[in-house]
Each structure stands twice: as structure tokens, then as C-alpha cells.
Amino acid sequence: VQLQASGGGLVPAGGSVRLSCATSGITFSLYSMGWFRQAPGKEREFVAAIRSNGISTDYADSVKGRFTIFRDNTKNTVHLQMNSLRPEDTAVYYCAADHWYTTLKVNPSYWGQGTQVTVSS
């Protein structure tokens, strides 16, 4: 199983960036997908999740209204559109996958390698 995250970089405050996570080795359409992040000196935290059918989503309160998770089941890829970025969004962002939606948000079975997002003030 491989989850390959990409799209991070240096972004000014108020800017936008889209992260992508390409997957292989799983039947993508049967898996819930999520994004987590870890800031320096902090624990990894949940950011967003989407069910396998792409209909239901959840977000951390800190990103609601600014971030959007969506998926393309034809390309086995999940994305995180990040708008109105703030310096406190600076972190390494990880994609994750699990067959079960509830498990995904607390202890996913599979993790990607992470991509750095740095928001400058």
C-alpha cells in the first residue's frame, strides 16, 4: 500500500494551496480517506475526512469553512483544498486511509509520507 502526498510548499498568509494524495495497493473506492497534520513540537492532529462514497465529510473546527476535502475515485486520489491559510496552519500534512470511517479519524491503517506546508505571516 502506498499513499503519496504532494502539493505542499511555502504560501503567504491568506493564500491557498491544494494537497493531493495518490494511492495504490488498496481498492480506493472502498476506503475512507483523511488528512492529518503535525506542527513542530505538537502532536499529530486530525484535519479532515471523507467517506468512501465521497458524500460525507468531517473537519476539525480550526479548518471548517477554509479547507475542503474531496476525492476522485476514478484516479484513486484524494485532495485537500486549503484556503485563507494562516501561520498556525504550518505543519507537515499527512494523508491516511482506512476501510472504516470511525477508525480513520483516530487510528488509520495506512499513512502517507507527509508534505510540508509553511504559511508565512
Side-chain angles (χ1 to χ4, degrees):
V1 176
Q2 287 193 327
L3 281 66
Q4 184 72 38
S6 62
L10 178 63
V11 187
S16 299
V17 69
R18 178 177 294 183
L19 305 183
S20 298
C21 177
T23 70
S24 61
I26 59 173
T27 304
F28 184 75
S29 62
L30 299 181
Y31 275 74
S32 295
M33 299 297 298
W35 288 94
F36 293 73
R37 67 186 181 186
Q38 186 166 19
K42 295 187 177 181
E43 292 188 354
R44 187 153 49 186
E45 64 176 1
F46 167 77
V47 174
I50 187 167
R51 288 188 182 269
S52 58
N53 60 14
I55 294 175
S56 297
T57 57
D58 281 308
Y59 297 92
D61 288 343
S62 59
V63 307
K64 280 181 182 177
R66 301 188 298 122
F67 291 10
T68 302
I69 186 171
F70 60 101
R71 63 191 293 157
D72 185 344
N73 282 0
T74 67
K75 296 183 178 179
N76 297 342
T77 302
V78 63
H79 305 278
L80 184 69
Q81 178 66 41
M82 306 163 62
N83 298 330
S84 302
L85 283 162
R86 305 167 180 168
E88 55 264 38
D89 294 318
T90 294
V92 177
Y93 284 74
Y94 299 89
C95 61
D98 200 281
H99 187 63
W100 301 106
Y101 191 63
T102 50
T103 305
L104 170 72
K105 293 192 282 184
V106 293
N107 189 25
S109 295
Y110 303 110
W111 290 96
Q113 87 289 1
T115 184
Q116 176 72 46
V117 174
T118 302
V119 184
S120 61
S121 56

